[in-house]
Each structure stands twice: as structure tokens, then as C-alpha cells.
């Protein structure tokens, strides 16, 4: 009798748990941002967590919503894209000294940045580095400094007939020297051409130009390729470069998106920190 009674009790308990209707709101507890009016206390904690997640996503340049209903692969791609935009922004907002420190503290950030950069470059109808290579292709025995060389494409394409020094904050290839391009290990007056192709990223543009001036021979060529939207006032920029001992030679706008300047080293630096050199950061749009 006792056995029968116990079994009935268990069955009754089971039944009572399973049959108890769950509040609809409770099912939605795991979804961020869904309010549950019944369990207000628990909700407060969740809301805090949600806001934290939302802030983190905003920091990476994505919205939480854009991440949620995706496949794992898509989510990963979006996070990588967000990380690329975050690093890119940092590079434009910091001095080159701070940028170098950032890569030293997180070496994987450099690879992430370049994976994102390559992704972006694939979408451009034209890459300014190829235009520069084409322009210098017919020349021989030049000494070229490629400042912020990235994948060192200039050395790859022109290195056979010329001497190319490739500099970047991090070296991923044996022919790339890791350094801040505001101080490169070259003697003064040794280069025929100095290239900044989409690499004037730090806020200390004047120091990059001062270094270019130091390593260039008199009449040596300074090539600057940049995104047009970075210039608030192109004329003021050109005047600023002029104050750093260069003369304007020519400029070429490409696809209404990039501009390529040629300057020539003509004289001494008049101003170490002229106005007009401030460039706006180049922010890439979300995919
Ligand atoms: N010039 C290359 C890469 C452009 S991406 C090309 O056109 O393909 C910009 C590059 O500049 C990045 O690799 C970045 O690390 C580098 N860079 C930015 N600031 C730098 C600095 N202060 N010193 C050296 N490299 C720098």
C-alpha cells in the first residue's frame, strides 16, 4: 500500500510541474532587450548586461541587432569587420607613437587590420599603389622609401630595377623594416622618391613630412596618395607641405575618390608645424 501511495505522490508532483503554465514572458528571458514585467528584479540585471553588450558592439562599430539573427560565419565576419573599423579609427586618432604601442601590446591587431584593409581594397575600382607603381615603372636605379608599405607591393614590383626601402609599424616580411615612419633608419639625403600611399594615418603628419624631407635628395620626389574626403582644405594642405620645404609639381584625382600629389624637395623647412596639414580620419562604412 505504502509503495502505491508513494508512486502516486511522485506522479502527482511531476504532473503539477509540467502542467503549470509558464508565463510567456519567461520564455523571452534570454533575448536581450525583451522586457519581462513579472520578474522585474532579474530584468534589471539583464538590462544592464544588454546595455553593456550594446556599448561593446557600438565600440566595434556594429549594432547588436545586426549580429543576432546571423549564422556563426556571418557573425564572425561582422565582428572582424567591426574590429577592423575600430583599429582603423584608432590609427587615425592617435599619434604614430601611440599607434606603434597599440600594435606592440596586441600584435594580432595588425593582421586583423590588414585583413580588413585588403577586403576594402578589393572593392575599389583602382588602387593608388598600382598607379604609383605604373608611374615609376619605367625608371631605373632609383632609391625609394615606401613609408607605411603594408604588403610591400612597391618593393615587389619595382625592387628588381631599384632599391626599395619598405617601412611599416610591424614587419610581416623579411624585406620590411618595422619602425615608425617619423624616424626611419636611413641617412639624410639618400632617397630619390619617398612614398606615402594611404599611410598618413597618425595625427603627427608634420613629423612624417619632416622625415621625408630629411631622407630625400634635393629635387627628390615626395608622393602622397590619399582619400579625397580627408582634405578639409586641399589648398591649405598644399601650402602646409610647401612650408616644409617642398614645391608642388602635379596632382591627379582618381575616380573622384583618391588624389595623388607629387611634390619636389626644394629648400629648407620653414615651419616645423605649419597649419593646414591636419587630415580628417578615413572611416570605412559597415558592410
Ligand atoms: N601603402 C600601402 C599600405 C596602405 S595601409 C598600400 O598602399 O598598399 C596603411 C599602412 O600604413 C598600414 O600598413 C599601417 O600600418 C601603415 N602606417 C600607418 N602609420 C604608420 C607609421 N607611423 N609608421 C609606419 N607605418 C605606418
Amino acid at each position: 500500500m505504502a509503495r502505491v501511495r508513494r508512486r502516486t505522490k511522485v506522479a502527482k508532483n511531476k504532473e503539477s510541474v509540467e502542467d503549470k503554465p509558464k508565463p510567456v514572458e519567461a520564455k523571452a528571458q534570454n533575448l536581450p532587450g525583451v522586457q519581462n514585467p513579472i520578474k522585474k528584479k532579474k530584468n534589471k540585471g539583464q538590462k544592464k548586461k544588454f546595455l553593456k553588450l550594446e556599448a561593446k558592439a557600438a565600440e566595434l562599430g556594429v549594432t547588436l541587432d545586426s549580429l543576432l539573427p546571423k549564422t556563426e560565419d556571418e557573425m564572425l565576419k561582422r565582428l572582424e569587420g567591426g574590429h577592423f573599423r575600430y583599429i582603423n579609427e584608432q590609427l587615425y586618432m592617435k599619434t604614430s607613437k601611440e599607434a606603434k604601442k597599440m600594435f606592440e601590446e596586441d600584435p594580432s591587431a595588425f593582421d586583423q587590420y590588414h585583413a580588413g584593409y585588403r577586403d576594402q581594397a578589393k572593392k575599389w575600382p583602382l588602387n593608388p599603389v598600382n598607379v604609383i607603381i605604373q608611374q615609376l615603372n619605367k625608371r631605373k636605379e632609383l632609391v625609394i622609401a615606401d613609408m607605411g608599405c603594408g604588403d610591400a607591393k612597391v618593393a615587389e614590383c619595382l625592387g628588381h630595377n631599384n632599391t626599395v626601402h619598405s617601412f611599416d609599424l610591424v614587419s610581416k616580411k623579411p624585406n620590411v623594416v618595422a619602425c615608425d615612419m617619423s624616424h626611419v633608419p636611413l641617412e639624410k639625403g639618400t632617397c630619390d622618391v619617398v612614398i606615402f600611399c594611404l599611410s598618413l594615418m597618425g595625427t603627427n603628419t608634420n613629423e612624417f613630412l619632416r622625415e621625408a624631407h630629411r631622407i630625400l635628395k634635393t629635387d627628390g620626389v615626395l608622393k602622397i596618395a590619399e582619400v579625397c574626403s580627408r582634405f578639409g582644405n586641399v589648398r591649405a594642405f598644399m601650402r602646409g607641405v610647401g612650408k616644409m620645404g617642398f614645391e608642388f609639381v602635379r596632382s591627379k584625382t582618381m575616380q573622384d575618390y583618391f588624389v595623388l600629389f607629387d611634390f619636389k624637395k626644394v629648400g629648407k623647412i620653414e615651419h616645423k608645424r605649419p597649419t593646414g596639414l591636419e587630415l580628417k580620419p578615413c572611416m570605412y562604412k559597415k558592410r
Side-chain angles (χ1 to χ4, degrees), residues 96 110 114 117 129 148-150 168-169 179-181 197-199 208:
S96 57
F110 188 79
H114 273 280
Y117 179 81
V129 76
C149 64
D168 209 300
L169 289 168
C179 67
D180 176 353
M181 63 196 186
C197 184
L198 305 179
S199 60
F208 304 142

Side-chain angles (χ1 to χ4, degrees), residues 75-105:
M75 279 175 80
L76 210 70
K77 247 196 143 158
R78 274 168 193 271
L79 274 174
E80 281 164 3
H83 203 180
F84 159 69
R85 283 191 295 278
Y86 174 75
I87 302 166
N88 181 63
E89 189 181 320
Q90 296 298 304
L91 290 172
Y92 282 118
M93 309 300 254
K94 289 177 188 291
T95 63
S96 57
K97 204 172 163 187
E98 289 166 328
K100 191 162 192 295
K101 196 164 165 248
M102 177 178 82
F103 284 140
E104 276 163 6
E105 282 168 4

Side-chain angles (χ1 to χ4, degrees), residues 177-232:
V177 175
C179 67
D180 176 353
M181 63 196 186
S182 63
H183 295 95
V184 297
L186 288 179
E187 294 292 315
K188 66 175 184 183
T190 47
C191 295
D192 299 293
V193 183
V194 171
I195 301 170
F196 292 98
C197 184
L198 305 179
S199 60
L200 289 178
M201 300 184 88
T203 51
N204 46 323
T205 311
N206 64 317
E207 291 183 19
F208 304 142
L209 295 181
R210 188 202 54 203
E211 188 63 347
H213 186 273
R214 186 186 71 81
I215 61 175
L216 269 172
K217 298 173 183 169
T218 303
D219 286 340
V221 177
L222 166 68
K223 284 186 173 288
I224 298 177
E226 267 310 334
V227 180
C228 295
S229 62
R230 293 200 65 201
F231 298 92

Side-chain angles (χ1 to χ4, degrees), residues 2-19:
R3 252 172 91 188
V4 173
R5 237 185 265 136
R6 218 179 296 136
R7 223 184 276 146
T8 319
K9 204 175 175 184
V10 170
K12 241 187 178 176
N13 277 350
K14 202 178 168 196
E15 196 182 18
S16 65
V17 170
E18 280 182 355
D19 285 354

Side-chain angles (χ1 to χ4, degrees), residues 31-275:
L31 294 176
V34 176
Q35 291 291 315
N36 181 349
I38 295 173
K39 298 189 174 176
K40 268 191 187 158
K41 243 188 184 173
K42 213 171 177 187
N43 237 16
K44 242 187 175 177
Q46 272 203 319
K47 193 167 181 190
K48 223 172 164 185
K49 263 189 211 164
F50 169 64
L51 288 175
K52 219 170 155 187
L53 276 174
E54 203 174 45
K56 184 77 195 165
E59 200 181 302
L60 293 173
V62 293
T63 62
L64 260 190
D65 260 13
S66 69
L67 290 174
L68 282 178
K70 307 290 167 196
T71 63
E72 210 175 302
D73 270 3
E74 278 175 317
M75 279 175 80
L76 210 70
K77 247 196 143 158
R78 274 168 193 271
L79 274 174
E80 281 164 3
H83 203 180
F84 159 69
R85 283 191 295 278
Y86 174 75
I87 302 166
N88 181 63
E89 189 181 320
Q90 296 298 304
L91 290 172
Y92 282 118
M93 309 300 254
K94 289 177 188 291
T95 63
S96 57
K97 204 172 163 187
E98 289 166 328
K100 191 162 192 295
K101 196 164 165 248
M102 177 178 82
F103 284 140
E104 276 163 6
E105 282 168 4
D106 180 6
S108 69
F110 188 79
D111 293 330
Q112 278 157 356
Y113 172 74
H114 273 280
Y117 179 81
R118 268 182 233 115
D119 259 13
Q120 294 290 334
K122 271 187 224 155
K123 295 178 207 156
W124 302 335
L126 160 160
N127 189 331
V129 76
N130 294 332
V131 177
I132 293 175
I133 289 166
Q134 224 171 16
Q135 288 179 344
L136 296 174
N137 212 6
K138 289 173 207 117
R139 306 279 305 271
K140 279 183 184 166
E141 290 166 27
L142 294 174
V143 179
I144 303 170
D146 187 10
M147 313 285 250
C149 64
D151 291 335
K153 202 164 175 199
V154 173
E156 191 188 305
C157 299
L158 302 176
H160 313 290
N161 297 327
N162 306 280
T163 304
V164 182
H165 300 282
S166 306
F167 303 108
D168 209 300
L169 289 168
V170 175
S171 169
K172 291 284 170 181
K173 289 186 172 179
N175 61 337
V176 176
V177 175
C179 67
D180 176 353
M181 63 196 186
S182 63
H183 295 95
V184 297
L186 288 179
E187 294 292 315
K188 66 175 184 183
T190 47
C191 295
D192 299 293
V193 183
V194 171
I195 301 170
F196 292 98
C197 184
L198 305 179
S199 60
L200 289 178
M201 300 184 88
T203 51
N204 46 323
T205 311
N206 64 317
E207 291 183 19
F208 304 142
L209 295 181
R210 188 202 54 203
E211 188 63 347
H213 186 273
R214 186 186 71 81
I215 61 175
L216 269 172
K217 298 173 183 169
T218 303
D219 286 340
V221 177
L222 166 68
K223 284 186 173 288
I224 298 177
E226 267 310 334
V227 180
C228 295
S229 62
R230 293 200 65 201
F231 298 92
N233 183 342
V234 183
R235 300 236 161 256
F237 177 80
M238 287 160 62
R239 269 197 303 275
V241 179
K243 296 257 190 278
M244 300 219 61
F246 296 99
E247 187 182 282
F248 172 76
V249 177
R250 73 183 132 243
S251 71
K252 179 185 167 83
T253 309
M254 297 171 276
Q255 309 278 331
D256 282 338
Y257 190 70
F258 297 112
V259 57
L260 174 58
F261 295 101
D262 278 8
F263 294 92
K264 181 166 88 168
K265 174 176 165 177
V266 285
K268 292 204 164 128
I269 295 181
E270 263 178 66
H271 283 281
K272 278 188 175 174
R273 215 183 283 262
T275 52

